[in-house]
Coordinates of all heavy atoms in Angstrom, one line a residue:
I1 N 94.6 98.4 128.4 CA 94.5 97.5 127.3 C 94.1 98.2 126.1 O 94.6 98.0 125.0 CB 93.6 96.4 127.7 CG1 94.2 95.4 128.7 CG2 93.1 95.5 126.5 CD1 93.3 94.4 129.3
L2 N 93.1 99.1 126.2 CA 92.6 99.8 125.1 C 93.7 100.7 124.5 O 93.8 100.9 123.3 CB 91.3 100.7 125.4 CG 90.1 99.9 125.6 CD1 89.0 100.8 126.1 CD2 89.6 99.2 124.3
E3 N 94.5 101.3 125.4 CA 95.6 102.2 124.9 C 96.6 101.4 124.1 O 97.2 101.8 123.1 CB 96.2 102.9 126.0 CG 95.3 104.0 126.6 CD 95.9 104.8 127.8 OE1 96.9 104.4 128.2 OE2 95.3 105.7 128.2
T4 N 96.9 100.1 124.6 CA 97.8 99.2 123.9 C 97.2 98.9 122.5 O 97.9 98.9 121.5 CB 98.0 97.9 124.7 OG1 98.5 98.3 126.0 CG2 98.9 97.0 124.0
Y5 N 95.9 98.6 122.5 CA 95.2 98.3 121.3 C 95.3 99.5 120.3 O 95.5 99.4 119.1 CB 93.8 98.0 121.6 CG 92.8 97.8 120.4 CD1 92.7 96.6 119.8 CD2 92.1 98.9 120.0 CE1 91.8 96.4 118.8 CE2 91.2 98.7 118.9 CZ 91.1 97.5 118.3 OH 90.2 97.3 117.3
R6 N 95.1 100.7 120.9 CA 95.2 102.0 120.1 C 96.6 102.1 119.5 O 96.8 102.6 118.3 CB 94.9 103.2 121.0 CG 95.1 104.5 120.3 CD 94.2 104.8 119.2 NE 94.3 106.1 118.7 CZ 95.2 106.6 117.9 NH1 96.1 105.7 117.4 NH2 95.2 107.8 117.4
M7 N 97.6 101.7 120.2 CA 99.0 101.7 119.7 C 99.1 100.7 118.5 O 99.8 101.0 117.5 CB 100.0 101.3 120.7 CG 100.2 102.4 121.8 SD 101.1 101.8 123.2 CE 102.6 101.3 122.5
F8 N 98.5 99.6 118.5 CA 98.5 98.6 117.4 C 98.0 99.3 116.1 O 98.4 99.1 115.0 CB 97.6 97.4 117.7 CG 98.2 96.4 118.7 CD1 97.4 95.5 119.3 CD2 99.5 96.4 118.9 CE1 97.9 94.7 120.2 CE2 100.1 95.6 119.9 CZ 99.2 94.7 120.5
A9 N 97.0 100.2 116.3 CA 96.4 100.9 115.2 C 97.4 101.8 114.5 O 97.1 102.2 113.3 CB 95.1 101.7 115.6
E10 N 98.5 102.1 115.1 CA 99.5 103.0 114.5 C 100.7 102.2 114.1 O 101.8 102.8 113.8 CB 99.9 104.1 115.5 CG 98.7 105.1 115.8 CD 99.2 106.2 116.7 OE1 100.1 106.0 117.5 OE2 98.6 107.3 116.6
D11 N 100.6 100.9 114.1 CA 101.8 100.0 113.8 C 102.2 100.3 112.4 O 101.5 100.1 111.4 CB 101.4 98.5 113.9 CG 102.6 97.6 113.7 OD1 103.3 97.4 114.6 OD2 102.7 97.2 112.5
R12 N 103.4 100.8 112.2 CA 103.9 101.3 110.9 C 104.1 100.1 109.9 O 103.8 100.2 108.7 CB 105.2 102.0 111.0 CG 105.1 103.3 111.7 CD 106.4 104.1 111.8 NE 106.3 105.4 112.4 CZ 107.3 106.3 112.5 NH1 108.5 105.9 112.1 NH2 107.0 107.4 113.1
G13 N 104.5 98.9 110.4 CA 104.7 97.8 109.5 C 103.4 97.3 108.9 O 103.3 97.1 107.7
W14 N 102.4 97.3 109.8 CA 101.0 96.9 109.3 C 100.5 97.8 108.3 O 100.0 97.4 107.2 CB 100.1 96.8 110.5 CG 98.7 96.4 110.3 CD1 98.3 95.2 109.8 CD2 97.5 97.1 110.5 NE1 96.9 95.2 109.7 CE2 96.4 96.4 110.1 CE3 97.3 98.4 111.0 CZ2 95.1 96.8 110.2 CZ3 96.0 98.9 111.1 CH2 94.9 98.1 110.8
L15 N 100.6 99.1 108.6 CA 100.0 100.1 107.7 C 100.8 100.2 106.4 O 100.2 100.4 105.3 CB 100.0 101.5 108.4 CG 99.1 101.7 109.6 CD1 99.3 103.0 110.3 CD2 97.6 101.5 109.2
S16 N 102.1 100.1 106.5 CA 102.9 100.2 105.3 C 102.7 99.0 104.3 O 102.7 99.1 103.1 CB 104.4 100.2 105.6 OG 104.9 99.0 106.2
R17 N 102.4 97.8 104.9 CA 102.1 96.6 104.0 C 100.8 96.9 103.2 O 100.7 96.5 102.1 CB 102.0 95.4 104.8 CG 103.4 94.8 105.3 CD 103.3 93.4 105.8 NE 102.5 93.2 107.0 CZ 102.9 93.4 108.2 NH1 104.2 93.8 108.4 NH2 102.1 93.3 109.2
I18 N 99.9 97.5 103.9 CA 98.6 97.9 103.2 C 98.9 98.9 102.1 O 98.3 98.8 101.0 CB 97.5 98.4 104.2 CG1 97.2 97.3 105.2 CG2 96.3 98.8 103.5 CD1 96.3 97.7 106.3
H19 N 99.7 99.9 102.4 CA 100.1 100.9 101.4 C 100.7 100.2 100.2 O 100.4 100.5 99.0 CB 101.0 101.9 101.9 CG 100.3 103.1 102.6 ND1 99.4 103.9 101.9 CD2 100.2 103.5 103.9 CE1 98.9 104.8 102.8 NE2 99.4 104.6 104.0
E20 N 101.6 99.3 100.4 CA 102.3 98.6 99.3 C 101.3 97.8 98.5 O 101.4 97.7 97.2 CB 103.3 97.6 99.9 CG 104.6 98.3 100.5 CD 105.5 97.4 101.3 OE1 105.1 96.1 101.3 OE2 106.4 97.8 101.9
A21 N 100.3 97.2 99.1 CA 99.3 96.4 98.4 C 98.5 97.4 97.5 O 98.1 97.0 96.4 CB 98.4 95.6 99.3
I22 N 98.2 98.6 98.0 CA 97.4 99.6 97.2 C 98.3 100.0 96.0 O 97.7 100.1 94.9 CB 97.1 100.8 98.1 CG1 96.0 100.4 99.1 CG2 96.6 101.9 97.2 CD1 95.7 101.5 100.1
D23 N 99.6 100.1 96.2 CA 100.5 100.5 95.1 C 100.5 99.5 94.0 O 100.8 99.8 92.8 CB 101.9 100.8 95.6 CG 102.0 102.0 96.5 OD1 101.1 102.9 96.4 OD2 103.0 102.1 97.3
T24 N 100.2 98.3 94.3 CA 100.2 97.2 93.2 C 98.9 97.3 92.4 O 98.8 96.5 91.4 CB 100.3 95.8 93.8 OG1 99.1 95.5 94.6 CG2 101.5 95.7 94.7
G25 N 97.9 98.2 92.8 CA 96.7 98.3 92.0 C 95.5 97.8 92.6 O 94.4 97.8 92.0
L26 N 95.6 97.3 93.9 CA 94.4 96.8 94.6 C 93.6 98.0 95.1 O 94.1 99.1 95.4 CB 94.8 95.9 95.8 CG 95.4 94.6 95.5 CD1 95.8 93.9 96.8 CD2 94.5 93.7 94.6
S27 N 92.3 97.8 95.3 CA 91.5 98.8 96.0 C 91.9 98.8 97.4 O 92.5 97.9 97.9 CB 90.0 98.4 95.9 OG 89.7 97.3 96.6
A28 N 91.5 99.9 98.1 CA 91.9 100.0 99.5 C 91.3 98.9 100.3 O 92.0 98.3 101.2 CB 91.4 101.4 100.1
E29 N 90.1 98.5 100.1 CA 89.4 97.4 100.8 C 90.2 96.1 100.5 O 90.5 95.3 101.4 CB 88.0 97.2 100.4 CG 87.1 98.3 100.8 CD 87.0 99.5 99.9 OE1 87.9 99.5 98.9 OE2 86.1 100.3 100.0
A30 N 90.5 95.8 99.2 CA 91.2 94.6 98.9 C 92.6 94.5 99.5 O 93.1 93.5 99.9 CB 91.3 94.4 97.4
A31 N 93.3 95.7 99.6 CA 94.6 95.7 100.2 C 94.5 95.4 101.7 O 95.4 94.6 102.2 CB 95.2 97.1 100.0
V32 N 93.5 95.9 102.4 CA 93.4 95.6 103.8 C 93.1 94.1 104.0 O 93.7 93.5 104.9 CB 92.2 96.5 104.4 CG1 91.9 96.0 105.9 CG2 92.6 97.9 104.4
Q33 N 92.2 93.6 103.2 CA 91.8 92.2 103.3 C 93.0 91.3 103.0 O 93.2 90.3 103.6 CB 90.6 91.9 102.4 CG 90.0 90.5 102.7 CD 88.8 90.3 101.9 OE1 88.9 89.7 100.8 NE2 87.7 90.8 102.3
R34 N 93.8 91.7 102.0 CA 94.9 90.9 101.6 C 95.9 90.8 102.8 O 96.4 89.7 103.1 CB 95.6 91.4 100.4 CG 96.9 90.6 100.0 CD 97.4 91.0 98.7 NE 98.6 90.3 98.4 CZ 99.2 90.3 97.2 NH1 98.7 91.0 96.2 NH2 100.3 89.6 97.0
V35 N 96.3 91.9 103.4 CA 97.2 91.9 104.5 C 96.6 91.1 105.7 O 97.3 90.4 106.4 CB 97.6 93.3 104.9 CG1 98.4 93.4 106.2 CG2 98.4 94.0 103.7
Q36 N 95.3 91.3 105.9 CA 94.7 90.6 107.0 C 94.7 89.1 106.8 O 95.1 88.3 107.7 CB 93.2 91.0 107.1 CG 92.4 90.4 108.2 CD 90.9 90.8 108.1 OE1 90.4 91.2 107.1 NE2 90.3 90.7 109.3
N37 N 94.4 88.6 105.6 CA 94.5 87.2 105.3 C 95.9 86.6 105.4 O 96.1 85.5 105.9 CB 94.0 86.9 103.9 CG 92.5 87.0 103.8 OD1 91.8 86.8 104.8 ND2 92.0 87.3 102.6
D38 N 96.9 87.4 104.9 CA 98.3 87.0 105.0 C 98.7 86.8 106.4 O 99.4 85.8 106.8 CB 99.2 87.9 104.2 CG 100.6 87.5 104.2 OD1 100.9 86.4 103.6 OD2 101.5 88.2 104.7
M39 N 98.4 87.8 107.2 CA 98.8 87.8 108.7 C 98.1 86.6 109.4 O 98.7 85.9 110.2 CB 98.5 89.1 109.3 CG 98.9 89.2 110.8 SD 98.6 90.8 111.5 CE 99.8 91.8 110.7

């Protein structure tokens, strides 16, 4: 289960959405929170 969870941490779609939010001018924390709230 932990290894499956570890795989989630490398989910490209999730990480790329955060990168896109950073590119719009958000701080790294705000980008993470925005994607988290949206999901």
Side-chain angles (χ1 to χ4, degrees):
I1 288 170
L2 285 175
E3 289 179 353
T4 301
Y5 173 89
R6 173 66 174 81
M7 289 168 59
F8 287 159
E10 294 182 331
D11 183 87
R12 291 185 179 180
W14 179 65
L15 295 175
S16 65
R17 285 195 296 275
I18 297 174
H19 275 295
E20 289 169 3
I22 291 173
D23 290 341
T24 67
L26 293 180
S27 67
E29 290 88 346
V32 172
Q33 191 176 96
R34 176 169 179 173
V35 172
Q36 181 184 22
N37 283 334
D38 183 60
M39 183 176 290

